[in-house]
């Protein structure tokens, strides 16, 4: 890929993310309207200057709800990726570094979990724990562990036989020190690109779960939840479904364009 | 043959591990199914009798083995909410979901393979770039949003189908397949974009290899080199991805069933999760696991056929 195209991807990715993430960040402290206040007079109002994205079936301002909803969606994504990558890294580090029977057994279970779509794994966990934003974060976080464990394990298996690790061992460094001070920084490149991809997958999975009605619960807004509510009003106010949907697409597209640059 | 046998054994072990883990997860959660069925006013003896009837008084390992044995006899337990055998409950929903999955798999291949090959064939032309840009956007579409867009364009706008107007295959097969085309398309579109991308990248990678140059120097036409030599080698990453995409198609069909109002496995799974109807949830999860494992097995075997070098 030539240089010009690279910078184009980078600029477009940054612009898309700026357009979605900045309102989400502002939405944490301020929104034009209260995202939960209902206004019967504006029920399913179309796009106008007062309500730039129109209103939903309760007369709530769609733009304000997208602002606070994308905030919740992003928080869940961050929590999910943090949970999945940290626990996954620890499991991957230990199994990859030490190997042996435990490694074989854990990786067998890991492979089984990987063969499962992560949203289904999350469904199982949610059916055990109930729904809500923290449950979604927890469920998806657990569902994301196997893929990180697998990636990190591969890296550790490769790196542990390199010369610098051997010399660290000769110098008397302990196993834990070698694992997390010497090897971990060298898995950065692989880990970073899988965190970016994981972020996208987490946004999609959260939106999917909330769309099914078992993710984020009212009165919290989330992009997936808004889409599922909007579905009943496709005839009367198509904009209500379009804006949250387009916001998701912009976030995903932005992240995947940027991760191409980093990867 | 040894390769296939190894894969089959691996698949069986996988299924056993899944069944054990899922069963354990549902067995150890807090809450007494007998209590929730009879209500808090039930007497202790009634509860004990109910536990006995539901088979809850036995130790967990015994319950697991009984449940496993039941599966082989085609008995998936009894639904708490509907008080009928789970098998009867999901028997007519399974074909709907499987149809949706196969339909979207076929659409996925019909869309992605010719376009990927065409784009690579026309590399660095305006058509190639146009395909790439549209592809990039479609890749970012979540399946439920592509479903909503398709409903909006083809259902509300062009009136090609009635949104929510599902017709079962027994009532009218033609309308059934006509209706199912749209949800299948909604699942297939984002996946096709990814396969297109993979096929395109690997085809372009093959172009630079020595055997391609040799094939040209032997006097082959570019069509012969492209379709006779490169396509087979370039299809490997795409086949791997199709294997992974199948798992996503299963997950996608659960969501898409909600968008289009299709009474399939996804619908019963969701209502059962909301009703805490664990035998049904357990059964549907196991069925989905079975589908995922079997399709992965098929992909492994196809892999071996396409590339006999694989061990």
């Amino acid at each position: 890929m030539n240089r010009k195209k690279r910078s184009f991807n980078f600029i477009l990715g940054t612009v898309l993310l700026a357009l979605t993430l900045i309102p989400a960040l502002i939405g944490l402290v301020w929104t034009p309207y209260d995202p939960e206040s209902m206004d019967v007079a504006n029920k399913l109002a179309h796009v106008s200057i007062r309500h730039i994205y129109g209103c939903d079936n309760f007369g709530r301002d769609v733009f304000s709800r997208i602002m606070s909803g994308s905030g919740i969606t992003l928080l869940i994504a961050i929590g999910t990726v943090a949970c999945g990558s940290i626990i996954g890294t620890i499991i991957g580090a230990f199994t990859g570094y030490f190997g042996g029977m435990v490694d074989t057994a854990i990786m067998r279970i890991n492979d089984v979990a990987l063969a499962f779509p992560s949203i289904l794994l999350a469904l199982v966990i949610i059916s055990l724990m109930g729904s809500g934003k923290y449950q979604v974060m927890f469920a998806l976080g657990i569902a994301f562990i196997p893929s990180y464990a697998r990636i990190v394990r591969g890296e550790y298996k490769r790196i542990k036989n390199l010369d610098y690790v051997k010399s660290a061992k000769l110098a008397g460094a302990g196993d834990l020190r070698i694992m997390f001070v010497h090897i971990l920084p060298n898995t950065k490149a692989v880990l970073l690109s899988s965190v970016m991809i994981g972020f996208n997958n987490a946004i999609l999975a959260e939106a999917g779960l909330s769309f099914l009605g078992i993710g984020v619960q009212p009165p919290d807004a989330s992009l997936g939840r808004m889409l599922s509510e909007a579905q009943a009003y496709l005839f009367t106010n198509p904009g209500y479904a379009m804006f949250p949907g387009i916001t998701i697409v912009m976030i995903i597209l932005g992240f995947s364009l940027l991760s191409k640059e980093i990867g | 043959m040894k390769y296939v046998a190894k894969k089959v054994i691996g698949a069986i072990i996988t299924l056993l591990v899944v069944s054990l883990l899922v069963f354990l997860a549902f067995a150890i959660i807090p809450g007494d199914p007998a209590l929730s069925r009879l209500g808090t006013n039930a007497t202790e003896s009634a509860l004990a009798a109910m536990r006995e009837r539901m088979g809850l008084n036995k130790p967990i390992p015994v319950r697991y083995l009984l449940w496993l044995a039941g599966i082989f006899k085609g008995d998936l337990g009894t639904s708490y909410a509907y008080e009928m055998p789970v098998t009867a409950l999901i028997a007519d929903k399974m074909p709907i979901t499987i149809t949706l999955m196969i339909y979207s798999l076929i659409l996925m291949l019909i869309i992605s393979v010719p376009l990927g090959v065409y784009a690579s064939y026309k590399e660095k032309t305006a058509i190639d770039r146009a395909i790439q840009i549209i592809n990039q956007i479609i890749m970012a579409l979540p399946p439920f949003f592509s479903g909503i867009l398709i409903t909006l364009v083809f259902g509300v706008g062009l009136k090609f189908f009635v949104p929510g107007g599902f017709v079962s295959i027994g009532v009218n097969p033609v309308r059934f397949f006509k209706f199912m085309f749209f949800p299948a398309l909604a699942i297939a579109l984002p996946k096709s974009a990814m396969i297109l991308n993979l096929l395109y990248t690997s085809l372009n990678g093959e172009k630079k290899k020595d055997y391609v140059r040799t094939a040209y120097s032997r006097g082959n036409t570019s069509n012969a080199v492209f379709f006779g030599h490169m396509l087979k080698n370039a299809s490997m990453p795409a086949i791997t991805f199709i294997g992974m995409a199948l798992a996503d198609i299963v997950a996608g069909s659960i969501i898409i069933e909600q968008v289009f109002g299709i009474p399939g496995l996804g619908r019963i799974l969701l209502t059962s999760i909301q009703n805490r109807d664990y035998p049904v949830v357990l059964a549907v999860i196991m069925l989905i696991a079975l589908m995922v494992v079997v399709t992965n097995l098929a992909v492994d075997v196809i892999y071996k056929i396409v590339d006999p070098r694989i061990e």
Side-chain angles (χ1 to χ4, degrees):
Chain A
M1 208 183 280
N2 59 41
R3 182 119 197 107
K4 201 174 145 205
K5 201 171 172 190
R6 272 183 155 246
S7 60
F8 174 74
N9 278 350
F10 185 77
I11 292 168
L12 186 60
T14 316
V15 170
L16 286 175
L17 285 183
L19 283 175
T20 46
L21 301 193
I22 292 173
L25 285 178
I26 298 173
L28 294 177
V29 287
W30 177 84
T31 48
Y33 294 85
D34 179 355
E36 279 149 38
S37 84
M38 305 183 187
D39 176 6
V40 192
N42 277 317
K43 218 170 134 183
L44 292 173
H46 285 273
V47 174
S48 66
I49 296 175
R50 286 173 56 88
H51 297 280
I52 56 169
Y53 283 180
C55 287
D56 72 1
N57 48 318
F58 295 112
R60 298 175 295 195
D61 181 50
V62 171
F63 184 65
S64 304
R65 285 182 69 73
I66 287 182
M67 278 174 82
S68 81
S70 20
I72 292 179
T73 299
L74 289 168
L75 277 180
I76 293 177
I78 292 169
T80 300
V81 172
C83 172
S85 60
I86 293 172
I87 302 177
T89 301
I90 294 172
I91 294 177
F94 275 92
T95 52
Y97 186 79
F98 291 110
M101 283 273 287
V102 182
D103 173 40
T104 319
I106 290 182
M107 280 303 133
R108 183 84 235 173
I109 297 176
N110 209 51
D111 282 347
V112 173
L114 266 184
F116 243 65
S118 54
I119 196 162
L120 266 183
L121 214 56
L123 267 176
V124 175
I125 299 170
I126 283 179
S127 67
L128 298 174
M129 299 197 329
S131 35
K133 57 184 168 191
Y134 298 108
Q135 283 89 335
V136 171
M137 214 186 276
F138 181 77
L140 286 176
I142 293 196
F144 275 43
I145 291 173
S147 61
Y148 289 101
R150 160 123 302 211
I151 292 164
V152 173
R153 174 181 174 268
E155 285 292 289
Y156 268 75
K157 264 192 121 66
R158 183 178 64 82
I159 296 174
K160 76 170 180 186
N161 293 320
L162 294 183
D163 285 339
Y164 84 91
V165 175
K166 285 179 189 155
S167 36
K169 236 180 222 164
L170 279 177
D175 284 331
L176 280 178
R177 187 176 169 81
I178 292 177
M179 280 162 70
F180 294 106
V181 179
H182 293 284
I183 302 185
L184 189 63
N186 286 302
T187 61
K188 197 175 68 187
V190 179
L191 211 53
L192 196 65
S193 70
S194 49
V195 162
M196 294 281 267
I197 297 167
F199 207 77
N200 265 353
N201 289 337
I203 291 173
L204 280 178
E206 182 279 320
L209 287 176
S210 300
F211 182 81
L212 293 178
I214 52 174
V216 172
Q217 295 299 315
D220 284 338
S222 113
L223 298 174
R225 171 123 219 135
M226 291 181 73
L227 262 178
S228 90
E229 283 166 3
Q231 226 200 314
Y233 305 98
L234 277 184
F235 286 96
T236 37
N237 189 0
Y240 179 19
M242 292 306 289
F243 292 115
I246 290 171
T247 310
I248 298 179
V249 173
M250 281 165 71
I251 298 176
I252 305 278
L253 194 56
F255 270 112
S256 58
L257 286 176
L258 274 192
S259 71
K260 269 189 184 167
E261 289 307 298
I262 293 168
Chain B
M1 228 32 238
K2 217 177 134 190
Y3 171 83
V4 176
K6 219 172 98 186
K7 289 287 171 193
V8 171
I9 293 170
I12 293 171
I13 295 176
T14 304
L15 278 177
L16 283 177
V17 174
V18 170
S19 72
L20 182 65
L21 291 181
V22 177
F23 186 88
L24 271 183
F26 283 99
I28 58 176
I29 42 164
D32 182 354
L35 187 71
S36 62
R37 189 145 154 196
L38 293 178
T40 39
N41 294 328
T43 60
E44 196 46 50
S45 63
L47 279 175
M50 186 48 110
R51 283 194 204 105
E52 169 99 43
R53 201 158 73 92
M54 293 164 89
L56 293 169
N57 52 346
K58 299 182 187 75
I60 289 178
V62 177
R63 274 162 59 193
Y64 172 68
L65 289 177
L66 284 175
W67 176 71
L68 203 61
I71 292 182
F72 288 106
K73 286 182 280 182
D75 171 19
L76 292 164
T78 310
S79 154
Y80 293 165
Y82 300 96
E83 307 219 358
M84 60 190 279
V86 177
T87 352
L89 203 59
I90 55 181
D92 56 333
K93 302 189 170 67
M94 220 158 90
I96 298 175
T97 303
I98 292 179
T99 310
L100 182 59
M101 283 163 52
I102 296 175
Y103 212 154
S104 43
L105 182 65
I106 294 171
L107 279 179
M108 186 171 84
L109 294 176
I110 293 179
I111 298 169
S112 63
V113 176
L115 272 177
V117 171
Y118 184 72
S120 168
Y121 203 72
K122 296 265 175 188
E123 197 194 349
K124 294 202 174 97
T125 62
I127 297 175
D128 169 32
R129 292 217 180 88
I131 291 178
Q132 293 304 326
I133 291 171
I134 296 171
N135 204 41
Q136 192 67 249
I137 296 170
I138 291 179
M139 233 191 283
L141 278 181
F144 46 89
F145 189 50
S146 69
I148 287 179
L149 285 179
I150 285 172
T151 311
L152 211 52
V153 175
F154 295 106
V156 180
L158 298 171
K159 305 227 184 307
F160 282 175
F161 73 102
V162 185
F166 174 81
V167 187
S168 88
I169 189 165
V171 175
N172 189 337
V174 178
R175 280 182 60 196
F176 171 77
F177 282 106
K178 222 179 124 190
F179 181 84
M180 292 295 262
F181 174 81
F182 297 96
L185 185 66
I187 301 174
L189 262 186
K191 298 285 153 227
S192 323
M194 281 176 204
I195 295 175
L196 194 162
N197 197 31
L198 271 173
L199 197 60
Y200 175 84
T201 320
S202 63
L203 269 174
N204 286 351
E206 293 294 320
K207 278 181 189 163
K208 297 179 191 81
K209 294 213 171 134
D210 287 344
Y211 78 91
V212 174
R213 201 179 51 200
T214 313
Y216 274 120
S217 65
R218 287 213 321 259
N220 282 310
T221 60
S222 48
N223 276 333
V225 175
F226 203 90
F227 294 103
H229 296 264
M230 283 163 58
L231 195 55
K232 197 168 168 184
N233 281 313
S235 57
M236 298 309 289
I239 293 176
T240 316
F241 181 78
I242 292 170
M244 298 193 299
L246 283 167
D248 279 348
I249 286 183
V250 177
S253 60
I254 290 174
I255 297 179
I256 288 297
E257 280 177 11
Q258 294 305 109
V259 181
F260 288 86
I262 298 166
L265 279 183
R267 168 85 57 92
I268 190 100
L269 178 64
L270 283 175
T271 38
S272 303
I273 286 177
Q274 273 146 7
N275 292 341
R276 300 189 167 268
D277 193 350
Y278 297 130
V280 181
V281 179
L282 209 54
V284 176
I285 298 276
M286 280 313 293
L287 266 177
I288 292 172
L290 180 70
M291 291 185 216
V292 172
V293 168
V294 167
T295 45
N296 276 330
L297 190 64
V299 170
D300 281 336
V301 174
I302 292 171
Y303 221 86
K304 178 80 175 168
I305 295 169
V306 178
D307 188 351
R309 287 169 297 182
I310 287 176
E311 278 307 310

